[in-house]
Coordinates of all heavy atoms in Angstrom, one line a residue:
A49 N 1.7 0.0 5.8 CA 0.4 -0.3 6.6 C 0.7 -1.0 7.9 O 0.2 -0.6 9.0 CB -0.6 -1.1 5.8
I50 N 1.6 -2.0 7.9 CA 2.0 -2.7 9.1 C 2.7 -1.7 10.1 O 2.4 -1.7 11.3 CB 2.9 -3.9 8.8 CG1 2.1 -4.9 8.0 CG2 3.5 -4.5 10.0 CD1 2.9 -6.0 7.4
K51 N 3.6 -0.9 9.6 CA 4.3 0.0 10.4 C 3.4 1.1 11.0 O 3.5 1.5 12.2 CB 5.4 0.7 9.6 CG 6.3 1.7 10.4 CD 7.0 1.0 11.5 CE 7.9 2.0 12.2 NZ 8.2 1.6 13.5
S52 N 2.4 1.5 10.2 CA 1.4 2.5 10.7 C 0.6 1.9 11.8 O 0.3 2.6 12.8 CB 0.5 2.9 9.6 OG 1.2 3.7 8.6
L53 N 0.2 0.6 11.7 CA -0.6 0.0 12.7 C 0.2 -0.2 14.0 O -0.3 0.0 15.1 CB -1.1 -1.4 12.3 CG -2.2 -1.4 11.3 CD1 -2.4 -2.8 10.8 CD2 -3.5 -0.8 11.8
D54 N 1.5 -0.5 13.9 CA 2.4 -0.6 15.0 C 2.5 0.8 15.7 O 2.5 0.9 17.0 CB 3.7 -1.1 14.6 CG 4.6 -1.5 15.8 OD1 4.0 -2.2 16.7 OD2 5.8 -1.3 15.8
T55 N 2.6 1.9 14.9 CA 2.7 3.2 15.5 C 1.4 3.6 16.2 O 1.4 4.2 17.3 CB 3.0 4.2 14.4 OG1 4.3 3.9 13.8 CG2 3.1 5.7 14.9
L56 N 0.3 3.2 15.6 CA -1.0 3.5 16.2 C -1.2 2.8 17.5 O -1.7 3.4 18.5 CB -2.2 3.1 15.2 CG -2.4 4.0 14.1 CD1 -3.3 3.4 13.0 CD2 -3.0 5.3 14.5
R57 N -0.7 1.6 17.6 CA -0.7 0.9 18.9 C 0.1 1.6 20.0 O -0.4 1.8 21.1 CB -0.1 -0.5 18.8 CG 0.0 -1.3 20.1 CD 0.7 -2.6 20.1 NE 0.2 -3.5 19.0 CZ 1.1 -4.0 18.1 NH1 2.3 -3.8 18.1 NH2 0.6 -4.8 17.2
T58 N 1.3 2.1 19.7 CA 2.1 2.8 20.6 C 1.4 4.1 21.0 O 1.3 4.5 22.2 CB 3.4 3.1 20.0 OG1 4.1 1.9 19.6 CG2 4.3 3.9 21.0
L59 N 0.9 4.9 20.1 CA 0.2 6.1 20.4 C -1.1 5.9 21.1 O -1.4 6.8 22.0 CB 0.0 6.9 19.1 CG 1.3 7.4 18.4 CD1 1.0 8.1 17.1 CD2 2.1 8.2 19.3
Q60 N -1.8 4.9 20.9 CA -3.0 4.6 21.6 C -2.7 4.3 23.1 O -3.4 4.8 24.0 CB -3.8 3.4 21.1 CG -4.6 3.7 19.9 CD -5.9 4.5 20.2 OE1 -6.0 5.2 21.1 NE2 -6.8 4.4 19.3
S61 N -1.6 3.6 23.3 CA -1.1 3.4 24.7 C -0.8 4.7 25.4 O -1.1 4.9 26.6 CB 0.1 2.5 24.7 OG -0.3 1.2 24.3
Q62 N -0.1 5.6 24.7 CA 0.3 6.9 25.3 C -1.0 7.7 25.6 O -1.1 8.3 26.6 CB 1.2 7.7 24.3 CG 2.5 7.1 24.2 CD 3.4 7.9 23.2 OE1 2.9 8.9 22.6 NE2 4.6 7.4 22.9
Y63 N -1.9 7.7 24.6 CA -3.2 8.5 24.8 C -4.0 7.9 26.0 O -4.5 8.7 26.8 CB -4.0 8.4 23.5 CG -5.2 9.2 23.6 CD1 -5.2 10.6 23.2 CD2 -6.5 8.7 24.0 CE1 -6.3 11.4 23.2 CE2 -7.6 9.5 24.1 CZ -7.5 10.8 23.7 OH -8.7 11.6 23.7
A64 N -4.1 6.6 26.1 CA -4.8 6.0 27.2 C -4.2 6.3 28.5 O -4.9 6.5 29.5 CB -4.9 4.5 27.0
G65 N -2.9 6.3 28.6 CA -2.2 6.7 29.8 C -2.5 8.1 30.3 O -2.5 8.4 31.5
K66 N -2.8 9.0 29.4 CA -3.0 10.4 29.7 C -4.5 10.7 29.9 O -4.9 11.7 30.3 CB -2.5 11.3 28.6 CG -1.0 11.3 28.5 CD -0.6 12.2 27.3 CE 0.9 12.1 27.1 NZ 1.4 12.9 26.0
N67 N -5.4 9.7 29.5 CA -6.8 10.0 29.5 C -7.6 8.9 30.2 O -8.6 8.4 29.7 CB -7.3 10.1 28.0 CG -6.8 11.3 27.3 OD1 -7.2 12.4 27.6 ND2 -5.8 11.2 26.5
S68 N -7.2 8.5 31.4 CA -7.9 7.6 32.2 C -8.3 6.2 31.6 O -9.4 5.7 31.8 CB -9.2 8.2 32.7 OG -8.9 9.4 33.4
G69 N -7.4 5.7 30.7 CA -7.6 4.4 30.1 C -8.6 4.5 28.9 O -8.9 3.4 28.3
N70 N -9.0 5.6 28.5 CA -9.8 5.8 27.2 C -8.9 5.9 26.0 O -7.8 6.5 26.1 CB -10.7 7.0 27.3 CG -11.8 6.8 28.4 OD1 -12.4 5.8 28.5 ND2 -11.9 7.8 29.3
F71 N -9.4 5.3 24.9 CA -8.6 5.4 23.7 C -9.2 6.5 22.8 O -10.3 6.9 22.9 CB -8.7 4.1 22.9 CG -8.0 3.0 23.7 CD1 -8.7 2.0 24.3 CD2 -6.6 2.9 23.8 CE1 -8.1 1.0 25.0 CE2 -6.0 1.9 24.5 CZ -6.7 0.9 25.1
G72 N -8.3 7.0 21.9 CA -8.7 8.2 21.1 C -8.9 7.8 19.6 O -8.5 6.8 19.1
T73 N -9.6 8.7 18.9 CA -9.9 8.6 17.5 C -8.6 9.1 16.7 O -7.7 9.6 17.4 CB -11.1 9.5 17.1 OG1 -10.7 10.8 17.4 CG2 -12.3 9.1 17.8
F74 N -8.6 8.9 15.4 CA -7.5 9.4 14.6 C -7.3 10.9 14.9 O -6.1 11.3 15.1 CB -7.8 9.3 13.1 CG -7.7 7.8 12.7 CD1 -8.8 7.2 12.1 CD2 -6.6 7.1 12.8 CE1 -8.8 5.9 11.7 CE2 -6.5 5.7 12.4 CZ -7.6 5.2 11.8
K75 N -8.3 11.7 15.0 CA -8.2 13.1 15.2 C -7.6 13.4 16.6 O -6.7 14.2 16.7 CB -9.6 13.8 15.1 CG -9.6 15.3 15.3 CD -10.9 15.9 15.2 CE -10.9 17.4 15.5 NZ -12.2 18.0 15.5
D76 N -8.0 12.7 17.6 CA -7.5 12.8 19.0 C -6.0 12.5 19.0 O -5.2 13.2 19.6 CB -8.2 11.9 20.0 CG -9.6 12.2 20.2 OD1 -10.0 13.4 20.0 OD2 -10.4 11.3 20.5
L77 N -5.6 11.4 18.3 CA -4.2 11.0 18.3 C -3.3 12.0 17.5 O -2.2 12.2 17.9 CB -4.1 9.6 17.6 CG -4.7 8.5 18.4 CD1 -4.6 7.2 17.6 CD2 -4.2 8.3 19.8
V78 N -3.8 12.6 16.5 CA -3.1 13.6 15.7 C -2.9 14.9 16.6 O -1.8 15.4 16.7 CB -3.8 14.0 14.4 CG1 -3.2 15.3 13.8 CG2 -3.8 12.9 13.4
E79 N -3.9 15.3 17.3 CA -3.9 16.5 18.1 C -3.1 16.4 19.4 O -2.4 17.3 19.8 CB -5.3 17.0 18.4 CG -6.0 17.5 17.2 CD -7.5 17.8 17.5 OE1 -8.0 17.6 18.6 OE2 -8.2 18.3 16.6
K80 N -3.2 15.2 20.0 CA -2.7 15.1 21.4 C -1.4 14.3 21.6 O -0.7 14.5 22.5 CB -3.8 14.5 22.3 CG -5.0 15.5 22.3 CD -5.9 15.2 23.4 CE -7.0 16.3 23.5 NZ -8.3 15.8 23.7
V81 N -1.1 13.3 20.7 CA 0.1 12.5 20.9 C 1.0 12.5 19.6 O 1.9 11.7 19.6 CB -0.2 11.1 21.4 CG1 -0.7 11.1 22.8 CG2 -1.2 10.4 20.5
G82 N 0.7 13.3 18.6 CA 1.7 13.5 17.5 C 1.6 12.5 16.4 O 2.6 12.2 15.7
L83 N 0.4 11.9 16.2 CA 0.2 11.0 15.0 C 0.4 11.9 13.7 O 0.0 13.0 13.7 CB -1.2 10.4 15.0 CG -1.6 9.4 13.9 CD1 -0.6 8.2 13.8 CD2 -3.0 9.0 14.0
D84 N 0.9 11.3 12.7 CA 1.1 12.0 11.4 C -0.2 12.6 10.9 O -1.3 11.9 11.0 CB 1.6 11.0 10.4 CG 2.1 11.6 9.1 OD1 1.6 12.7 8.8 OD2 3.0 11.0 8.5
S85 N -0.1 13.8 10.4 CA -1.3 14.5 10.0 C -2.1 13.9 8.8 O -3.2 14.2 8.5 CB -1.0 16.0 9.7 OG -0.1 16.0 8.6
K86 N -1.4 12.9 8.2 CA -2.1 12.2 7.1 C -3.3 11.4 7.6 O -4.2 11.2 6.9 CB -1.1 11.2 6.4 CG 0.0 11.8 5.7 CD 0.8 10.8 4.9 CE 1.8 10.1 5.9 NZ 2.8 9.2 5.2
F87 N -3.3 11.1 8.9 CA -4.4 10.4 9.5 C -5.6 11.3 9.9 O -6.6 10.8 10.5 CB -3.9 9.6 10.7 CG -3.2 8.4 10.3 CD1 -1.8 8.4 10.1 CD2 -3.8 7.2 10.0 CE1 -1.1 7.3 9.8 CE2 -3.1 6.0 9.6 CZ -1.8 6.1 9.5
A88 N -5.4 12.6 9.8 CA -6.4 13.6 10.2 C -7.6 13.7 9.3 O -8.6 14.4 9.6 CB -5.8 14.9 10.5
D89 N -7.6 13.0 8.1 CA -8.6 13.1 7.1 C -9.8 12.3 7.4 O -10.1 11.2 6.8 CB -8.1 12.8 5.7 CG -7.0 13.7 5.3 OD1 -6.9 14.9 5.8 OD2 -6.2 13.3 4.4
G90 N -10.6 12.7 8.4 CA -11.9 12.0 8.7 C -11.7 10.7 9.4 O -10.7 10.4 10.0
D91 N -12.8 9.9 9.4 CA -12.9 8.6 10.1 C -12.2 7.5 9.4 O -11.9 6.5 10.0 CB -14.3 8.2 10.4 CG -15.0 9.2 11.3 OD1 -14.3 9.9 12.1 OD2 -16.2 9.3 11.3
T92 N -12.0 7.6 8.1 CA -11.3 6.5 7.3 C -10.2 7.2 6.4 O -10.4 7.3 5.2 CB -12.3 5.8 6.4 OG1 -13.0 6.7 5.6 CG2 -13.4 5.0 7.2
P93 N -9.1 7.5 7.0 CA -8.1 8.1 6.2 C -7.4 7.1 5.3 O -7.4 5.9 5.6 CB -7.0 8.6 7.3 CG -7.3 7.8 8.5 CD -8.8 7.4 8.4
V94 N -7.0 7.6 4.1 CA -6.2 6.7 3.2 C -4.8 7.1 3.2 O -4.4 8.3 3.0 CB -6.8 6.9 1.8 CG1 -6.0 6.1 0.8 CG2 -8.2 6.5 1.7
V95 N -3.9 6.2 3.6 CA -2.5 6.5 3.8 C -1.7 5.4 3.0 O -1.9 4.2 3.3 CB -2.1 6.5 5.3 CG1 -0.6 6.8 5.4 CG2 -2.9 7.5 6.0
N96 N -0.9 5.8 2.0 CA -0.1 4.9 1.3 C -0.9 3.8 0.7 O -0.5 2.6 0.7 CB 1.1 4.4 2.1 CG 2.1 5.5 2.4 OD1 2.3 6.4 1.7 ND2 2.7 5.3 3.6
G97 N -2.0 4.1 0.1 CA -2.8 3.0 -0.6 C -3.7 2.2 0.3 O -4.3 1.2 -0.2
Y98 N -3.7 2.4 1.6 CA -4.5 1.6 2.5 C -5.5 2.5 3.2 O -5.3 3.7 3.6 CB -3.6 1.0 3.6 CG -3.2 -0.4 3.1 CD1 -2.2 -0.6 2.2 CD2 -3.9 -1.6 3.6 CE1 -1.8 -1.9 1.8 CE2 -3.5 -2.8 3.2 CZ -2.5 -3.0 2.3 OH -2.2 -4.2 1.8
I99 N -6.8 2.0 3.4 CA -7.8 2.7 4.0 C -7.8 2.2 5.5 O -7.9 1.0 5.8 CB -9.2 2.4 3.4 CG1 -9.2 2.8 1.9 CG2 -10.3 3.1 4.2 CD1 -10.4 2.2 1.2
F100 N -7.7 3.1 6.4 CA -7.6 2.8 7.8 C -9.0 3.1 8.5 O -9.5 4.2 8.2 CB -6.5 3.6 8.6 CG -5.1 3.1 8.2 CD1 -4.5 3.6 7.1 CD2 -4.5 2.2 9.1 CE1 -3.2 3.1 6.7 CE2 -3.2 1.8 8.7 CZ -2.6 2.2 7.6
E101 N -9.5 2.2 9.3 CA -10.7 2.4 10.0 C -10.5 2.0 11.5 O -9.8 1.0 11.7 CB -11.8 1.5 9.4 CG -12.2 1.8 8.0 CD -13.3 0.9 7.5 OE1 -14.4 0.9 8.0 OE2 -12.9 0.1 6.6
M102 N -11.0 2.8 12.4 CA -10.8 2.5 13.8 C -12.2 2.5 14.5 O -13.0 3.3 14.3 CB -10.0 3.6 14.4 CG -9.6 3.3 15.9 SD -8.6 4.5 16.7 CE -7.5 5.2 15.5
E103 N -12.4 1.4 15.3 CA -13.5 1.3 16.2 C -13.1 1.5 17.6 O -12.2 0.8 18.1 CB -14.2 0.0 16.1 CG -14.7 -0.4 14.7 CD -15.3 -1.8 14.6 OE1 -15.4 -2.5 15.7 OE2 -15.5 -2.3 13.5
I104 N -13.7 2.4 18.3 CA -13.4 2.7 19.8 C -14.6 2.1 20.6 O -15.7 2.5 20.3 CB -13.2 4.2 20.0 CG1 -12.1 4.8 19.1 CG2 -12.9 4.4 21.5 CD1 -10.7 4.3 19.4
I105 N -14.3 1.2 21.5 CA -15.3 0.7 22.4 C -15.1 1.3 23.8 O -14.0 1.1 24.4 CB -15.2 -0.8 22.5 CG1 -15.5 -1.4 21.1 CG2 -16.3 -1.4 23.5 CD1 -14.3 -1.9 20.4
P106 N -16.0 2.2 24.2 CA -15.8 2.9 25.5 C -15.8 1.9 26.7 O -16.4 0.8 26.6 CB -16.9 3.9 25.6 CG -17.9 3.5 24.5 CD -17.2 2.6 23.6
K107 N -15.4 2.4 27.9 CA -15.4 1.7 29.1 C -16.9 1.4 29.4 O -17.8 2.2 29.2 CB -14.9 2.5 30.3 CG -13.4 2.6 30.3 CD -13.1 3.4 31.6 CE -11.6 3.8 31.6 NZ -11.3 4.6 32.8
S108 N -17.1 0.2 30.1 CA -18.4 -0.1 30.6 C -18.2 -0.7 32.0 O -17.1 -1.1 32.3 CB -19.2 -1.0 29.7 OG -18.5 -2.2 29.6
T109 N -19.2 -0.9 32.7 CA -19.1 -1.6 34.0 C -18.6 -3.0 33.8 O -19.2 -3.8 33.1 CB -20.4 -1.6 34.8 OG1 -21.4 -2.2 34.0 CG2 -20.8 -0.2 35.2
G110 N -17.4 -3.3 34.3 CA -16.8 -4.6 34.2 C -16.0 -4.8 33.0 O -15.4 -5.9 32.8
A111 N -15.9 -3.8 32.1 CA -15.0 -4.0 30.9 C -14.2 -2.7 30.6 O -14.8 -1.7 30.6 CB -15.9 -4.4 29.7
P112 N -12.9 -2.9 30.4 CA -12.2 -1.7 30.0 C -12.4 -1.2 28.6 O -13.0 -1.9 27.8 CB -10.7 -2.2 30.2 CG -10.8 -3.6 29.9 CD -12.1 -4.1 30.4
A113 N -12.0 0.0 28.3 CA -12.1 0.5 26.9 C -11.2 -0.3 26.0 O -10.2 -0.9 26.5 CB -11.7 2.0 26.9
S114 N -11.6 -0.4 24.7 CA -10.8 -1.1 23.8 C -10.9 -0.5 22.4 O -11.7 0.4 22.2 CB -11.2 -2.6 23.7 OG -12.5 -2.7 23.3
Y115 N -10.1 -0.9 21.5 CA -10.2 -0.4 20.1 C -9.8 -1.5 19.1 O -9.2 -2.5 19.5 CB -9.2 0.8 19.9 CG -7.7 0.4 20.0 CD1 -7.0 -0.1 18.9 CD2 -7.1 0.5 21.3 CE1 -5.7 -0.4 19.1 CE2 -5.7 0.2 21.4 CZ -5.1 -0.3 20.3 OH -3.7 -0.6 20.4
R116 N -10.3 -1.3 17.9 CA -9.9 -2.2 16.7 C -9.5 -1.3 15.6 O -10.2 -0.3 15.3 CB -11.1 -3.0 16.3 CG -11.5 -4.1 17.3 CD -12.7 -4.9 16.7 NE -13.2 -5.8 17.8 CZ -14.4 -5.6 18.3 NH1 -15.3 -4.7 17.8 NH2 -14.9 -6.4 19.2
I117 N -8.5 -1.6 14.9 CA -8.1 -0.9 13.7 C -7.9 -1.8 12.5 O -7.2 -2.8 12.6 CB -6.7 -0.1 14.0 CG1 -6.9 0.8 15.2 CG2 -6.4 0.7 12.8 CD1 -5.6 1.4 15.7
Y118 N -8.5 -1.4 11.4 CA -8.4 -2.2 10.2 C -7.7 -1.4 9.1 O -7.9 -0.2 9.0 CB -9.9 -2.5 9.7 CG -10.7 -3.3 10.6 CD1 -11.5 -2.6 11.5 CD2 -10.7 -4.7 10.6 CE1 -12.3 -3.3 12.4 CE2 -11.5 -5.4 11.5 CZ -12.3 -4.7 12.4 OH -13.1 -5.4 13.2
A119 N -6.9 -2.1 8.3 CA -6.2 -1.4 7.2 C -6.5 -2.3 6.0 O -6.1 -3.5 5.9 CB -4.7 -1.3 7.4
T120 N -7.3 -1.8 5.0 CA -7.6 -2.6 3.8 C -7.1 -1.8 2.6 O -7.0 -0.6 2.6 CB -9.2 -2.7 3.7 OG1 -9.8 -1.4 3.7 CG2 -9.7 -3.6 4.8
P121 N -6.7 -2.6 1.6 CA -6.1 -2.0 0.4 C -7.2 -1.1 -0.3 O -8.3 -1.5 -0.4 CB -5.7 -3.1 -0.5 CG -6.2 -4.3 0.1 CD -6.7 -4.1 1.5
Q122 N -6.8 0.0 -0.8 CA -7.7 0.9 -1.5 C -8.1 0.3 -2.9 O -9.2 0.3 -3.3 CB -7.0 2.3 -1.7 CG -7.9 3.3 -2.3 CD -7.1 4.7 -2.4 OE1 -5.9 4.7 -2.4 NE2 -7.9 5.7 -2.5
I123 N -7.1 -0.3 -3.6 CA -7.3 -1.0 -4.8 C -6.7 -2.3 -4.7 O -5.5 -2.4 -4.5 CB -6.7 -0.2 -6.0 CG1 -7.2 1.2 -6.1 CG2 -6.9 -0.9 -7.3 CD1 -6.5 2.1 -7.1

Side-chain angles (χ1 to χ4, degrees):
I50 293 166
K51 182 63 178 161
S52 293
L53 287 172
D54 195 40
T55 300
L56 285 165
R57 177 187 309 126
T58 302
L59 294 178
Q60 281 288 22
S61 295
Q62 289 176 7
Y63 185 88
K66 295 177 183 177
N67 294 284
S68 305
N70 293 310
F71 296 108
T73 63
F74 289 119
K75 183 179 177 186
D76 295 334
L77 297 176
V78 168
E79 292 173 358
K80 299 195 174 139
V81 289
L83 178 62
D84 192 331
S85 62
K86 294 185 278 189
F87 286 92
D89 297 337
D91 293 335
T92 57
V94 177
V95 180
N96 294 328
Y98 269 78
I99 302 167
F100 288 83
E101 296 177 66
M102 186 181 324
E103 296 175 14
I104 304 293
I105 298 101
K107 284 184 195 180
S108 65
T109 53
S114 62
Y115 65 87
R116 293 184 189 114
I117 304 173
Y118 300 91
T120 56
Q122 188 177 20
I123 302 170

